[in-house]
Amino acid sequence: AAAIQSLMDMYEDLSEKEFVSLAASNRAGLRHLAAISASHFEAPWAKETICRLIQDSHRDVRIAALNTFALKYRSELKLDEAKDLLRLRLEDSDPFVAISASWTAFLIDPNWGAPYLEKWCKDSLPENRRLAAAALAASGARGTMWSEKELKESTVPYVKVNLALGLLGQRTNVAAAADCVFQFLQTEKRMLMWDNRPNPLFQILAP
């Protein structure tokens, strides 16, 4: 991720020809760069290629393309078209991709994406639960209702605290969220870190 960002910093602009060349490369790192650059430079002509990169063979490329689509192009597709585009990624064999796709679906239509994120918040693996909670927390104002619901229902400390941090960021249900963070810090004795390795858009509080 740091290497990709360093490459991005070297570009002052990106032509459509350069973008198409990067996206067509047989090197995953360059396709990853293409997916990120479309968002960075807000390229209006990149939507179709980004949709293709969502189906890429490499996990990091799929995640970067999903992020770019969610941030820049999601409003340009009808709901049925978006559902068709994300259908395979919502069931992706890689949980980090599937959760990123769930977040994208949530931004398009919360009623569509919420069941996927809620399912991942209850996953058997802690890293998947944390990522799903952080994704829901990163959904902005549209995610607060679901965050509050999951905060009440979950018994998993790291799910609860990541959701609570999102609610604090939205200035929503501040008392309950602050109490959750306080209780977590009182009981969790391990070292903590911010982890955005699964998806650079999400700040995950993790041990």
Side-chain angles (χ1 to χ4, degrees):
I4 293 289
Q5 187 58 52
S6 296
L7 285 171
M8 288 299 306
D9 293 340
M10 294 171 60
Y11 280 86
E12 294 183 1
D13 196 6
L14 183 72
S15 69
E16 184 173 0
K17 182 179 179 180
E18 288 173 319
F19 171 76
V20 169
S21 177
L22 289 171
S25 173
N26 60 4
R27 300 181 63 179
L30 294 181
R31 299 196 305 276
H32 188 187
L33 178 61
I36 294 174
S37 68
S39 176
H40 183 78
F41 293 108
E42 301 186 351
W45 29 257
K47 182 188 73 175
E48 289 186 9
T49 301
I50 291 299
C51 290
R52 176 173 60 79
L53 291 176
I54 285 174
Q55 316 303 339
D56 196 86
S57 60
H58 195 280
R59 176 181 78 173
D60 291 344
V61 179
R62 297 199 299 278
I63 289 174
L66 284 164
N67 290 349
T68 294
F69 177 78
L71 295 175
K72 301 299 179 184
Y73 305 115
R74 71 177 189 270
S75 61
E76 298 183 24
L77 265 65
K78 296 178 181 178
L79 181 58
D80 287 346
E81 294 173 327
K83 286 185 174 181
D84 187 58
L85 175 68
L86 298 181
R87 177 174 53 86
L88 293 177
R89 299 290 70 83
L90 286 166
E91 304 296 337
D92 200 284
S93 59
D94 188 300
F96 294 170
V97 176
I99 294 167
S100 299
S102 301
W103 173 74
T104 302
F106 186 89
L107 293 187
I108 295 169
D109 180 356
N111 290 317
W112 172 33
Y116 291 98
L117 287 176
E118 289 175 339
K119 178 193 75 171
W120 283 110
C121 282
K122 298 174 177 64
D123 192 69
S124 60
L125 296 178
E127 60 269 28
N128 296 339
R129 296 195 298 264
R130 291 193 298 265
L131 177 59
L136 188 53
S139 300
R142 75 185 65 203
T144 55
M145 183 177 74
W146 281 270
S147 290
E148 288 180 286
K149 175 178 177 289
E150 195 65 31
L151 184 66
K152 291 179 181 178
E153 294 179 357
S154 178
T155 59
V156 181
Y158 276 93
V159 168
K160 293 174 71 72
V161 74
N162 276 288
L163 292 168
L165 290 169
L167 289 171
L168 288 173
Q170 293 298 317
R171 305 292 192 271
T172 300
N173 204 349
V174 171
D179 182 63
C180 176
V181 174
F182 176 77
Q183 294 297 329
F184 174 83
L185 294 175
Q186 289 290 102
T187 56
E188 179 55 79
K189 302 305 180 185
R190 289 176 292 181
M191 297 287 288
L192 302 174
M193 68 173 181
W194 290 115
D195 183 12
N196 65 355
R197 291 171 297 177
N199 185 319
L201 292 186
F202 308 143
Q203 286 281 76
I204 308 162
L205 188 65

